[in-house]
Amino acid sequence: MLTPRSTLSRRVIAALDASPSRIPVLIGGCGSGRTTLIQQLRDRMGRAPTQAIDVERTATTPERFLHAISSVSPVPFGEAAAGTRAAFDATLDFFSRARSSGGQPVTFFLDEFLELRTFESFPGLRRVLNDFIDCISASGNRFVLTSRYVVRALRLLRDRSARFEVIHMPPLAVEDTLDIVGPSPDAHEAEYTARSVQALTDGRPAYVRALADELASMKALGGGDPVSALVSLLAPGARLARLCNFCYELRLHRARGYGALKAILEILGEEEGLTLTEISHRLLRTPGSTKDYLSWLEDVDLVTSRQKRYSFTDPLLRVWVRLHCRPTAPTEDDLAREVHRYALPRLPQQELALAAAGGGSSDEDERKDWGIIEID
């Protein structure tokens, strides 16, 4: 069965093969599969001239960035340049004019392209991202860009060349999740497990993979269910706890007002769907200051506003904030309580009915303990 995820590669390839080629811009949150997709795309292109660049890892100074991409480039490169502006201009010239030894256009994959903004702290480089976008939109080469910062990418590309094709990374469908979770002798149980995993993770690939791996480990020891696996993964130092902590700190450090922004996230962790006025009262700051703080959180995709009410963009990150942004580490009871509060509204209806009834009416239902009944 075709899903939005399984057809994503075809959509990107179609954009690259158009005449003139379009520039796919893959945007999505942490763990949404952007990097994995461009690796798969590059593999599919075989012997065609390509170059993958991890901008986040290599954007230090313009001179070192130029050296980093030229030293591993599969295509001929011109002379090195001295000075920040000259080095950046040489980089743009390379992106614009590079050709293979046979004269073919090159396909560049730039992962986390917005990190080029790092260069704007150097003299004479105040419009780095705008210069880059202008350069590649006029180039005869092909480009695939990615970013974890959705709002910033959309703002940068607003009113730009129609050559850019923004692609939001879709969540994994149940069918995709079932492929990752793996087969089971009981097809019905396998489908419900996949539906539960997909619902608990919002189909985010990194979360799905973590939950699937934890389920496999638990089943190897004699049993396990998605809710229990999620409890285990959000414990201090566990895989999802580390991933959420990374995303939380990375985005906060890309924004302004670190301390105040953390305070707002804690407030929204306690209660979501609050208005600007309600948040400002709890924060003990003016509505004007609070509006600035919220705009900075939106700018790094940590919160979303719908009908003037604010909530976490990633609901699982909210669970992590409730558990770990506190004076002491969560206990096992804390983990179980918070995960069950999060899971109950999301689990497939059959499981909700089972939980509400306090148990199943068949032996199969009794064997399938989702770890919910004991929690009030």
Side-chain angles (χ1 to χ4, degrees), residues 34-65:
R34 305 174 312 279
T35 302
T36 300
L37 178 61
I38 63 173
Q39 290 170 347
Q40 293 170 346
L41 289 167
R42 197 178 180 204
D43 291 341
R44 284 185 60 174
M45 298 185 73
R47 300 173 65 89
T50 65
Q51 182 169 359
I53 301 170
D54 186 337
V55 180
E56 188 172 41
R57 297 286 179 261
T58 53
T60 53
T61 68
E63 297 94 331
R64 292 187 64 83
F65 182 69

Side-chain angles (χ1 to χ4, degrees), residues 89-267:
D89 287 342
T91 301
L92 295 184
D93 187 67
F94 173 64
F95 286 145
S96 178
R97 300 174 183 273
R99 292 293 185 275
S100 70
S101 56
Q104 296 173 282
V106 181
T107 303
F108 291 99
F109 297 90
L110 279 78
D111 202 7
E112 296 299 337
F113 81 101
L114 289 182
E115 295 304 313
L116 290 171
R117 184 181 180 183
T118 303
F119 302 148
E120 294 184 355
S121 61
F122 293 93
L125 295 174
R126 292 292 180 265
R127 299 183 71 258
V128 164
L129 287 173
N130 289 289
D131 290 346
F132 169 73
I133 291 299
D134 291 342
C135 168
I136 66 172
S137 63
S139 171
N141 286 318
R142 309 194 303 177
F143 299 86
V144 178
L145 312 179
T146 81
S147 179
R148 63 165 61 91
Y149 298 106
V150 175
V151 171
R152 289 181 175 183
L154 292 176
R155 183 169 60 244
L156 174 66
L157 297 174
R158 187 183 301 137
D159 301 325
R160 291 287 180 171
S161 166
R163 191 178 173 192
F164 291 95
E165 181 175 341
V166 174
I167 301 175
H168 294 265
M169 296 297 291
L172 296 177
V174 172
E175 294 80 9
D176 303 316
T177 306
L178 184 58
D179 289 340
I180 295 174
V181 171
S184 171
D186 186 335
H188 180 72
E189 181 177 352
E191 181 183 350
Y192 266 102
T193 298
R195 288 185 180 278
S196 298
V197 169
Q198 196 270 348
L200 292 174
T201 60
D202 271 355
R204 190 169 295 211
Y207 294 170
V208 170
R209 173 60 65 185
L211 210 54
D213 291 347
E214 184 67 18
L215 274 172
S217 298
M218 296 174 77
K219 289 179 179 179
L221 297 175
D225 60 77
V227 175
S228 299
L230 187 56
V231 170
S232 177
L233 287 167
L234 284 171
R239 184 170 169 180
L240 275 187
R242 295 196 308 271
L243 181 57
C244 287
N245 181 65
F246 169 80
C247 181
Y248 174 85
E249 291 292 346
L250 176 68
R251 291 180 183 276
L252 282 177
H253 279 93
R254 291 294 192 275
R256 300 167 59 189
Y258 181 80
L261 301 195
K262 288 178 68 176
I264 291 178
L265 292 176
E266 290 178 15
I267 289 169

Side-chain angles (χ1 to χ4, degrees), residues 261-276 278-279 282 294 297-298 302-305 309-313 315 317-319 321-322:
L261 301 195
K262 288 178 68 176
I264 291 178
L265 292 176
E266 290 178 15
I267 289 169
L268 292 176
E270 296 166 0
E271 183 179 353
E272 282 195 302
L274 298 176
T275 64
L276 167 63
E278 291 168 334
I279 294 171
R282 300 186 189 195
L294 287 166
L297 285 168
E298 289 182 290
L302 279 169
V303 303
T304 302
S305 173
R309 293 186 177 274
Y310 294 87
S311 59
F312 276 77
T313 303
L317 184 61
R318 179 177 182 243
V319 179
V321 167
R322 289 178 61 87

Side-chain angles (χ1 to χ4, degrees), residues 32 180 242 283 332:
S32 58
I180 295 174
R242 295 196 308 271
L283 188 63
E332 291 184 4

